[in-house]
Amino acid sequence: MMKNFITFLILSISCSNLFAQLPLQLWDFASTNTHMYFPEKLGEATEFHIHTDFHFLRFNPHDLKFTQFRSVAPFERKHRMKQLVEEVDLDLMTMYLEYNGEKFKVIRGEGTEDYMGEWVEGGKFYQRRFIDGLRLEDGPLFEFGLEIASWTDAFSFTLTYEESFLPEDEMKLHIEFNFPEEMYKITRSNSGIVTVQGKHEMLWELYSSNSESFVRSNANSVKIEGKLSNKSLSALFKVRHTFQKNDEVTVVVASDKNRPFERLQAYRDTQRQATVVKLNGNMEPKFGMERTKLILHNPSNTEQLERFIFEKTDKVKAITGCSMILRDKDGHPTGIPIQISKNWHTDYYSRFVGPWVRGYTMMVIPPHQTIELELTRVSGFWGSLPAVSHSQLSLSSWGKKNPTSHQLWEETAVGAFGESICYEPYGGSTQSMITDVRPLFVQSTKKMVPEPRKYDWTPNVGGGDFLRFYGLRGELKQIKEIRVDYKRNCPNLSEVIYRGKTEKDEADYKLTTFLIRSNDYLRAYYHVELIVNETLEFNRLAIAQFGSETYAFSHEHNFAYGNENGVLLDIENEREREGYSHQNIDAPGAAPWASMHNAENQLPGKYGTWANRGLILREWKSIVDGKLIEPKFSTYVHFSKRINKYVTLIELNLPASVRSLQKGDKIDAVIELCVLPNEPDSYYGDNEIFKEFIKKEANTWKPMFREAHQNTLQVNIKKGKLVRRTPLMIAAENDEVVVDLSNGLGYVPFTISNISNYKDFKAIITRNGDFINLKDQEKFGNDYWQTDFDAETRTWQVTYSIPMDDQIEP
C-alpha cells in the first residue's frame, strides 16, 4: 500500500510548475467549429451551407451558383441558419473557358444536376467538397470539377480541368465574381492586394494560388485568369485579422524524434492556405508511436496565425485507428485540438483516392517567441490500452455515386483493428445514423476459417438509429441541418455532438456520442435529446433502435430484458410478420437493460465468430405534458434485404399511447450500447476476469446483466463537483479533485474539468479506498491520459482511464 501511495504522489506532482505553461495564444482557435451542412433533408436539399466563426456561404450545386457570402460578426457566431440567410439568392460567381477570344460558361453536366458533390473532408477546422461532371455550355466537350474548401477564417473555389490531355491551342480559365455595390465594397491597394468588404466591416483578401494567374478588379467585380495548361484555377479568400500586421513570416521546422536530426518537409501551401508538415510514418503499426518535433518561430513584432496540415499520403500504417496529439516538449498533452480526416478507399478513380490521413489545426504564435511542440501519432495503443479515435472518413473512391451518396461519414475505432462504430449523420447511403459496428478483441474459433484474426477487422453486426420516427402515413422522417461539434476525439474518450432539426422545424435534435477505451469489449454511450417547439405528430417513434430498419446485419435468436436486480424475461424471438413483436415493455429500476443474444453467424465461410448486442438505459429525464414519463422497451421485426432474413430490432420508446409531442415536451436519455463476444473462446484480450466469465456465459443475457449491475459506477466526491455521471466528469475546486470510485468493470473514463493549467493540478483518485497506480498504463512516457481545452471557460479537462476490475493490481 505504501509503495502504491508513493507512486501516486509522484503522479500527482508530476504536473507541477517545474515546467512553464505554453503561451495561451496557442489555444485562441480552440473554440472553432466549421460547419458544412444541408438546410433541408438530403434528397430534397438544393443547396449546402458553410458556417464558421467568420463567414457564412450558400452554394447551389444544382444550378452551380454561389448564392450568398457574408461575414459573421462575433455576436452572430451562435446564430442558426435562418438568422443568416438573405432573402434574395445572388449569383456571385461565374466560371469560363476562353478560346480564341470567345468565352464558354462552365455549367452542370447532363444527368448530374441532382448530385450535391462529394464530402471529401470535414471537421472542426476544415471542410472540402468536390463537384464533378461539369461541362461547357455550347463549347468543347471538356470535363471540369469544382472544389469548394473552407477553414474557419478562409475559403476557396478551385476550378479543375479533369481531362488527361491538354489541347495544343492556348486556352484560358476564368473565375469572375460580381458583388452588388450596395452590399460589398471592392478595393485594391497600391501593392495590388484586392479586398472585399461586406457586412460588419470585415476585410477579405482575394487572391489566387498560381503566380501566373492574374487578379483584376473594378467597382463591383473581381476577375481571375489563368492558363488551362495549369489544369486548375483558384480563387482564395482569407480574413485580414486586425492582430496580424504581417503575413507568412512564421518559421516552421519539423523533424523526426524517433530518428534524431532527420528533417521533415514543412512548406507553405498557398492553394490550401496552410503550412503542411509531411509525416514520415516512422512507427510500428498498431503498437508504436510516431513523434514529430515542431519548432515554431515568430520573428515579427505581432502575433501570427498559422493554419497547419499534418499529412501522410502514402503507405499509411494502421489507418483504421489514428490519434494525433499535440504535446509540449516535455511530453505533456496540451489539449490543442486537431481535426483528423482520412481515406483508405481505392475502388474507383478519384483525385482524392486513398490512402491518406491529415490532421488540421490552427495556432497563434506570439511575437518574438519560439515554441517547441511534439506532434504525437498513435494508432492501436496509447500506452498499454487501445487508443480511442473519432475521425471523418472520406468516401472518395468508394462505391458508385448516386444523388445522396458520398456525404459525411465518420468512423470511430478502439485501437486500429478495423472500424468500431461508423456514423452517417445524413443517412445518404443507409438512412441510418449508425452503420457498421464491430466487436472488439475477438478472433476466429473455427480451425478452417482464419478470420477474424487478432488485431484485425471483425464481423459487422451493425445498424442503429436515434429519434427515428415515422409520419402519420408511415413515411420515414429525417433530421436536417445537422451540424457537428467536436468536443474531443482521442485517445482516451471521444465526445462528438450532432445537432439538427426535424423536417418541419417542430423540434431541435441533439445526439452526443461517446466511445471509451477498455481491454474487454466495445462500449459506447449516447445522450439523446429532443426539445419540442411545436406539435410533432408521428405514427411511431424509436428513441433508439439497434440495428435499424434500413441497415441490419445481425440475426439474434433470443431477447431478454431486466434491470440491476436480474432478468425479467428471456424468450426466443418471434418473427412471423413485420412489425412489433413485443411492445410497451416496462423498463423499471436504476439500470434497465435489454439483450439480443444467441446471434447467428451470417458469414460462416468468412468469419469464425460473431457477436451479440445489448443496451442499458443509464439516465432518463423525458417529460411529456409536464410530467416525467416512463421509458419502454420494444422488439420490432424487420425483413433485412442485406441478409435476406427477418431480424429483430431492440427499441427504446415512449409509451405506445403517445403519438404526438407538444411544445415544451422533451426526450432526454443516456443509453449505453455493448457489443459482446458470442463464442466462448473468441475473446483474446488481457482482461482475465472477463475472459473467464465469457467462457461460461457467452451467448446468454448474463453479460448484459453483469454490465448493468456491476458497471453502475458509484462515486464518492470528497473535493470537486459532479458535472456528469455518464461518462463521469467532476469539476475541480482550486485545481484539485479528491474522489473514491467503486462498482465498475474494465476501465472507466473519468474526466476532471475546470483545471486552470494543463499540467498543474492535483487528482487524488482511489478505488474502494485504495490508491490507483495509473502510471502502469504508460509505455513511451506520458501516454496514458488525455487533455482537452474548454474554450468557453478557457480551462482544461483531463481524462484518465480508471482500472476497476479486481484483478488489476491497485
Side-chain angles (χ1 to χ4, degrees), residues 29 32-37 48-59 66 68-70 72 118-130 146-158 204 207 235-239 270-274 307-309 339 341 352 360-362 392 486:
F29 280 81
T32 287
N33 268 296
T34 65
H35 299 114
M36 181 162 62
Y37 58 91
F48 65 86
H49 298 172
I50 296 177
H51 182 194
T52 79
D53 290 348
F54 292 90
H55 59 269
F56 178 74
L57 312 178
R58 292 169 55 213
F59 196 91
F66 181 23
Q68 185 181 344
F69 159 46
R70 61 163 288 176
V72 174
E118 60 180 319
W119 200 314
V120 181
E121 292 179 86
K124 184 176 178 65
F125 291 103
Y126 187 74
Q127 305 283 351
R128 177 153 59 161
R129 178 173 292 278
F130 186 72
L146 176 63
E147 175 187 299
I148 303 171
S150 177
W151 292 85
T152 187
D153 67 335
F155 61 95
S156 64
F157 297 93
T158 301
W204 292 82
Y207 59 108
L236 311 177
F237 293 73
K238 66 178 178 181
V239 170
T270 305
Q271 165 67 37
R272 289 188 282 177
Q273 300 173 286
R307 306 178 200 94
F308 288 95
I309 304 174
Q339 166 190 332
S341 294
F352 308 104
Y360 294 87
T361 194
M362 299 172 68
Q392 178 253 342
Y486 301 85

Side-chain angles (χ1 to χ4, degrees), residues 43 107 136 149 154 217 321 350 356 371 392 501 703 710 729:
I107 61 174
L136 297 175
S217 64
S350 168
W356 48 260
I371 307 296
Q392 178 253 342
K501 287 182 174 291
Q710 296 185 40
M729 179 184 288

Side-chain angles (χ1 to χ4, degrees), residues 271-426:
Q271 165 67 37
R272 289 188 282 177
Q273 300 173 286
T275 294
V276 177
V277 177
K278 301 291 285 186
L279 305 180
N280 67 357
N282 183 15
M283 61 188 291
E284 180 188 358
K286 300 179 184 176
F287 303 100
M289 175 186 287
E290 181 178 11
R291 303 177 67 195
T292 302
K293 180 179 179 179
L294 299 172
I295 301 294
L296 316 177
H297 175 59
N298 178 8
S300 74
N301 295 321
T302 61
E303 295 176 326
Q304 295 298 318
L305 168 65
E306 282 295 321
R307 306 178 200 94
F308 288 95
I309 304 174
F310 307 114
E311 181 177 72
K312 177 67 175 167
T313 56
D314 63 309
K315 299 178 182 179
V316 185
K317 299 174 181 176
I319 192 172
T320 57
C322 180
S323 296
M324 290 188 185
I325 304 117
L326 277 171
R327 303 198 288 179
D328 65 18
K329 65 180 181 179
D330 303 305
H332 298 89
T334 63
I336 298 171
I338 299 177
Q339 166 190 332
I340 302 172
S341 294
K342 61 189 179 185
N343 182 23
W344 59 67
H345 302 110
T346 58
D347 294 345
Y348 291 85
Y349 167 78
S350 168
R351 63 172 47 245
F352 308 104
V353 66
W356 48 260
V357 62
R358 298 187 182 100
Y360 294 87
T361 194
M362 299 172 68
M363 289 181 278
V364 174
I365 317 302
H368 299 296
Q369 287 208 30
T370 300
I371 307 296
E372 180 179 336
L373 297 170
E374 176 184 305
L375 176 68
T376 303
R377 181 163 71 105
V378 297
S379 55
F381 285 82
W382 174 243
S384 62
L385 288 175
V388 161
S389 60
H390 185 127
S391 55
Q392 178 253 342
L393 176 62
S394 176
L395 298 183
S396 294
S397 297
W398 174 85
K400 294 182 179 180
K401 298 174 183 176
N402 62 59
T404 62
S405 69
H406 292 74
Q407 303 308 320
L408 182 60
W409 185 286
E410 303 208 306
E411 181 244 359
T412 68
V414 181
F417 324 134
E419 302 159 337
S420 289
I421 302 176
C422 291
Y423 302 103
E424 192 182 29
Y426 282 96

